[in-house]
Structure formats: structure tokens, C-alpha cells
Amino acid sequence: MIRQKNWKKRLTAALAGGVFILSTAAAWAAPVELTLDEAVALALQNNSDIKISESEREKADWAVSEAKAGKKPSVNYNFTGSYTDSNATKLNGNKENYDNKIALTLPLYTGGKVEGSIEAAKLGLKSADLGIEKAKQQIKLDATTGYFNILQTANLVKVAQESVDGLTAHLKNVQAQYDVGTVAKSDMLRSEVELADADQKLIIAKNNLELAVASFNNVTGLPLDTQINPKQSALAYMANNQTLSDSITYSLANRPEVAQADANVAVAKQQIKIAGADKKPTVSLTGYTDWNDTDLPGADNDNWGASVTASYKLFDSGLAKSKVRQADAGLNKATEQARQSRDSVQLEVRQAFLNMKEAEKRIETSKVAVDKAEEDFKIAQVRYSAGVGTNLDVIDAQLALTQAKTNNIQALYDYNTSKAKLDKAMGIPVK
């Protein structure tokens, strides 16, 4: 009896465990539902580009600390142990000597080299901060376009399925009329060919949807086989009332690439200052204490001293001049790159803005075309059923309806993605 109860308990536990595993697996395989904002937040959290930019920022921060160390005192310890065999050491017997010296050095004046290095490092840190914002804006754009791509391909799958359904229903109608001898066999064959072609397009549309989901998962850091269900069922239209002039003005003031280019110009100016420091004297203060003895470790005979050292290169074979000339060329290069950056940003804004406006116009015209194509398809079906229309009329009307719906979806996709590209081109900060 006890064994029977234990057996029942083990069976119950095993069944419960199996149900738990199956339910967990089902939950894991369940599609992930996301809004656009959630998709962007997920991408910002998981994408490696931001982590790389943050590492660059940390590196730049330590570079500032390194540069600042040039103005602070340094302490060195030196130990020297020597053995000398000479006539003098044979007379006094002191062949061994051990010396310990601690010296503190403080730079008083470096000709502006240290100050220039500190300022250049701070500008590098600023550029790294801008790099993080730049990465965020790009990731937001990638996540947004990926999300819209899922919506677009999902809607195209729906349109392709509607086309298959419509042609299937039409084929049944043709088959029925062919069976009673009211239409030719060519009508049925043509309808079958069009249905097969629609099936092919549906297969391609479904594959494009799977590819769009995988690409989106790659951007957001999700497993590539994760199923995504956008909470937004269709591409929406929200008017953008910005002007091109205002968009360009905003981009020049806020785009990270423009600010980075300006920072590079400022760094190049500091490099000229650093290179020119080699033509100036340097002054440093040194204080030391020294212990030496003939016995290890040489801790007796305490001495100390302090000195101020001024150094100036009278002749360096043109080394300093060459460095200054290189720095001048670097400034010219940075200045031209800054100008190119501004031109590129303005062009990018203009392209995104004009593409957005062009897509906006197509949205309304394509919507009207869908309404007319639906009406035309219904009329063609009725005419064919009444025997006054042709099979070709129905097929052409179905193809026109499919194309009109596809054009409308494409216009909405182009508008939304162009709007997202405009936000990125303008340098709108990522919240």
C-alpha cells in the first residue's frame, strides 16, 4: 500500500513537472508584443554599439586624468648598488657603495604643453559624449525602420492573401460556368495561372516578413527566431508641419556630427599650441633626500637638497618647426572636414525632408486609388457573373486592386521612415 502511494506521488509529480516544462516552453515561444517606443527602448538597452561608445567615453575620461597628471608633482625612488675595485678603494677598503634617493619633481612651466594636452583631452571627452548620442540616434532610427518594416511586410502579406482569396473565389465562379458550358476553357486556365502567380507572391511576402522580423530582432538584441507582434496594427499617418529651413537650422545646432567636427577643430588648435611649446623654456622644481653607505641597504649618511631647473633648446635641427607645420596642416584638415560635415548634414536633412513630403502626397492619391480599384473589382465581378464582362476584366481589376493597396502601404512606409530619418538627420535627442 505504501509503495502504491509513493508510485502515485511520483507519477503526479512527473506529470506536474511535464506540464510546467511545456507551459514554460509555450510561454517562451509566445510572440513578443511591442509598441514602437518599447522597441526603441529595447534596442537602446541591448544594442552593442552603445556599449562600444560608452567604452570609448570611459577611455576619453581617463585620458583627461592622464593629461591633468602632467601638472601634478611626481615622486621617484632610485636605489644604486655599486662595487669598485681601484687603488683608492684598496687603500680605504670601501669597495661597495649603496645609495637610496627619493626625489619630488613639480613642473612650474611647460610652455603651454600640459595645458594644451589637458584641453585637448577634455575636447576628446566631449566628442566621446557626442558619440554616445550619435549611436543612440542611429539605433533609434534602425529600430524604428525595423518596426515599420515589420508593419509594411505584414500588411503586404495581408494584401497578398486577399489577392489569393479573391482569385480563388473567381476561379470557383469560372469553374462553375465552365462546367455548364457558358465560358471557354481558356478562361479557367488563365484564372488558374493567375491564382498560381498570386500564391507565389504570397510565399515571397511571408518570407519577407520573416526576414523583417529577424532583422528587427538583430537590432533590438532579441534572439533571431523571436516572434514579434507589433501592437500597432498598421502604418499610421501623422502630419509633420516643420519647414525645410527650420529643419536645417536645427540640425546645424544639434547634430552630434557637427559638434564633433567643431571639437576636432578645437583639438587641432590645441595641437598647434602643444607643438609650439617645444620652442619655449621649461621650468621645474626638484627636491630630494638621499641616504648612502658602504653597507646594504645604505640607510646612513642622510643628505637632502632642492633645485630649480630651467631648460631651453637652443637648436633642435628644425624638430619643433616641423611639429608646428604638421599641426597647422592638421588644423586645415579639421576645418575642411567641419565644413564637409555641415554640408553633408544639410544634404541629409534636405533629402529626408523632400522624400517625406513626396511620400505624403502619395498617401492621399494611393488611398483614392484603392477606393476606386475596389469599386472597379466589384463591378468586374458582377459583369462577369452576368455574362457581359470578360475574365480578363476581373483579373485585371484584381491585379489593379492589389497594386493600389501595395502602393498605399508603400507610401505610408516611405512617409514614416523618411520622417524617422529626418529626426535623425536633425539630431533630435533620444529620450
Side-chain angles (χ1 to χ4, degrees):
M1 180 66 68
I2 295 175
R3 290 182 179 179
Q4 186 177 7
K5 289 182 179 180
N6 290 338
W7 178 82
K8 289 182 177 180
K9 288 181 179 179
R10 289 195 294 269
L11 178 60
T12 303
L15 290 173
V19 171
F20 174 75
I21 292 172
L22 291 174
S23 62
T24 303
W28 179 258
V32 177
E33 294 188 354
L34 293 171
T35 64
L36 177 58
D37 289 339
E38 290 170 345
V40 172
L42 189 63
L44 292 173
Q45 178 182 350
N46 296 330
N47 198 283
S48 58
D49 287 342
I50 291 182
K51 297 176 183 178
I52 294 173
S53 298
E54 288 174 345
S55 296
E56 290 293 333
R57 199 268 178 198
E58 183 180 3
K59 179 181 177 182
D61 190 29
W62 283 110
V64 174
S65 299
E66 177 187 359
K68 287 181 176 180
K71 293 189 71 174
K72 298 176 182 179
S74 61
V75 179
N76 293 321
Y77 166 75
N78 292 312
F79 170 79
T80 303
S82 63
Y83 179 86
T84 305
D85 189 4
S86 64
N87 292 331
T89 57
K90 288 178 181 179
L91 292 175
N92 57 35
N94 296 330
K95 294 184 178 181
E96 298 178 12
N97 185 64
Y98 302 96
D99 183 81
N100 298 272
K101 185 175 183 179
I102 297 178
L104 182 146
T105 302
L106 177 65
L108 300 178
Y109 178 71
T110 62
K113 177 178 287 189
V114 173
E115 290 78 7
S117 298
I118 293 174
E119 188 60 30
K122 288 181 178 179
L123 290 167
L125 178 59
K126 177 182 177 181
S127 182
D129 286 330
L130 292 167
I132 294 177
E133 181 61 27
K134 175 184 174 182
K136 287 181 179 180
Q137 292 178 10
Q138 183 61 51
I139 290 168
K140 179 183 178 181
L141 174 61
D142 293 341
T144 301
T145 54
Y147 190 86
F148 287 150
N149 196 24
I150 292 177
L151 292 177
Q152 179 199 31
T153 51
N155 287 325
L156 289 177
V157 168
K158 182 179 178 181
V159 169
Q161 185 64 60
E162 290 174 352
S163 177
V164 170
D165 294 341
L167 289 172
T168 300
H170 176 64
L171 178 60
K172 291 180 180 179
N173 186 17
V174 174
Q175 181 71 51
Q177 296 193 52
Y178 173 74
D179 291 340
V180 297
T182 57
V183 298
K185 186 177 182 180
S186 59
D187 281 5
M188 188 177 67
L189 294 175
R190 176 63 186 275
S191 299
E192 289 174 340
V193 170
E194 291 298 331
L195 177 58
D197 183 64
D199 284 329
Q200 293 287 325
K201 292 178 179 178
L202 177 59
I203 293 172
I204 294 173
K206 289 181 177 179
N207 184 66
N208 289 338
L209 175 58
E210 291 187 10
L211 292 175
V213 171
S215 178
F216 173 82
N217 290 338
N218 183 55
V219 173
T220 55
L222 293 172
L224 296 183
D225 58 351
T226 303
Q227 295 300 311
I228 303 296
N229 279 349
K231 292 182 180 179
Q232 181 179 336
S233 60
L235 291 162
Y237 167 71
M238 293 182 62
N240 188 324
N241 298 320
Q242 291 172 310
T243 65
L244 177 57
S245 177
D246 290 342
S247 299
I248 291 176
T249 301
Y250 185 94
S251 68
L252 293 177
N254 295 276
R255 186 72 179 266
E257 289 87 341
V258 174
Q260 281 182 320
D262 291 340
N264 290 337
V265 172
V267 169
K269 291 179 180 179
Q270 293 300 322
Q271 293 298 332
I272 295 176
K273 182 178 180 180
I274 294 170
D278 288 341
K279 293 183 176 182
K280 299 177 181 179
T282 60
V283 181
S284 62
L285 172 65
T286 302
Y288 70 90
T289 183
D290 179 88
W291 302 270
N292 63 80
D293 196 5
T294 57
D295 296 321
L296 190 69
D300 293 334
N301 302 319
D302 184 13
N303 303 302
W304 68 273
S307 63
V308 175
T309 303
S311 177
Y312 181 74
K313 290 183 180 180
L314 297 177
F315 180 70
D316 63 357
S317 299
L319 178 61
K321 181 179 179 181
S322 298
K323 289 182 179 180
V324 171
R325 292 290 183 235
Q326 290 182 56
D328 286 337
L331 176 59
N332 292 335
K333 176 183 176 181
T335 302
E336 286 301 312
Q337 288 176 332
R339 183 184 63 79
Q340 284 184 338
S341 178
R342 281 177 165 77
D343 291 344
S344 297
V345 165
Q346 292 183 68
L347 177 60
E348 187 177 344
V349 171
R350 186 177 295 273
Q351 289 174 334
F353 184 89
L354 294 177
N355 287 336
M356 180 186 69
K357 290 300 182 182
E358 178 257 343
E360 187 176 31
K361 295 176 182 177
R362 285 194 284 121
I363 291 174
E364 185 59 32
T365 56
S366 61
K367 184 179 179 182
V368 173
V370 170
D371 294 337
K372 293 184 179 297
E374 287 178 340
E375 183 180 0
D376 181 52
F377 179 62
K378 292 177 182 178
I379 293 174
Q381 285 181 312
V382 173
R383 286 172 58 83
Y384 186 77
S385 298
V388 295
T390 66
N391 182 50
L392 185 60
D393 291 338
V394 178
I395 292 174
D396 286 346
Q398 176 64 68
L399 295 176
L401 176 58
T402 300
Q403 188 61 54
K405 290 181 177 180
T406 300
N407 291 342
N408 182 248
I409 293 170
Q410 186 66 50
L412 286 166
Y413 173 79
D414 291 343
Y415 176 80
N416 282 278
T417 54
S418 295
K419 187 178 177 183
K421 290 177 182 178
L422 179 61
D423 288 346
K424 189 263 181 183
M426 291 171 60
I428 294 178
V430 177
K431 296 181 180 179

